[in-house]
Amino acid sequence: MATILNIETSTNVCSALLADGDRVLMERVCREPQNHARLLPVFLQEIITFARENGAMPQAVAVSAGPGSYTGLRIGVSSAKGVCYALNIPLIAIDTLEIIALQAIKEVDWEAIYCPMIDARRMEVYTALFDSKRNLISPTEAKIIDQGAFEDILRERKIVFCGDGADKCKGTIQDKNAVFVDNIAPLSRNMMKLAEDKFDRGDFVDTAYFEPFYLKEFFGTKPKKIF
């Protein structure tokens, strides 16, 4: 078993957790939006201090790699890289949608298709499809949700929709085979198994060159002219 520091900042929830295999050593979570830049450094300092005092220094850092919030992902990845450089340990990248899918699979435990969704504003979501064994069925995409979304699959199979992007789709996707699971957010707690598996395989990314999976290019807005 490896001791791994897990960092998740892809949505409004900010979380960090130190795990030894399947055992949680220390966890910090904030569900208030727009606090990542302020709170994540505090969380990491507390966790590293705890790790030093208890002889449980991390052997790797796992970070949620996206898709998700452009700002949130940048904060999480840059912080993860900083810890990796400081401690000379490897970096593990975890698919954010798989983190959400894993949590839903644990809670529902059905033979179904799982559709994690991250809100991408308006009626667009970042999404992918997984089976109940977490095998990827349909790759990650930015999808506009309308009444015909997923209709071909819903004719034959039950789909479990989850994540903050699924909340706004309830009124649009109305089918007997559409199941919505509330209160599913990507958390560092649900990265533990995924990170451990990648550590065991030696599946690390290049710390220097790794970039989050933004999926869509970020476009900033120009400030309005006052005069």
Side-chain angles (χ1 to χ4, degrees), residues 5-9 40 44 48 58 60-65 72-93 204-214:
L5 172 60
N6 298 275
I7 298 172
E8 215 303 315
T9 57
L40 184 59
L44 297 181
I48 295 300
V61 178
V63 67
S64 182
L73 290 171
R74 284 181 65 85
I75 292 169
V77 170
S78 61
S79 298
K81 287 185 175 186
V83 176
C84 287
Y85 283 127
L87 301 181
N88 193 29
I89 55 178
L91 179 64
I92 299 169
F204 307 120
V205 296
D206 188 309
T207 303
Y209 294 102
F210 175 73
E211 291 290 336
F213 179 36
Y214 297 119

Side-chain angles (χ1 to χ4, degrees), residues 172-191:
T172 304
I173 302 175
Q174 296 183 334
D175 189 282
K176 64 179 182 179
N177 280 331
V179 178
F180 290 86
V181 181
D182 297 329
N183 302 317
I184 299 285
L187 294 170
S188 52
R189 172 177 290 269
N190 293 301
M191 297 171 61

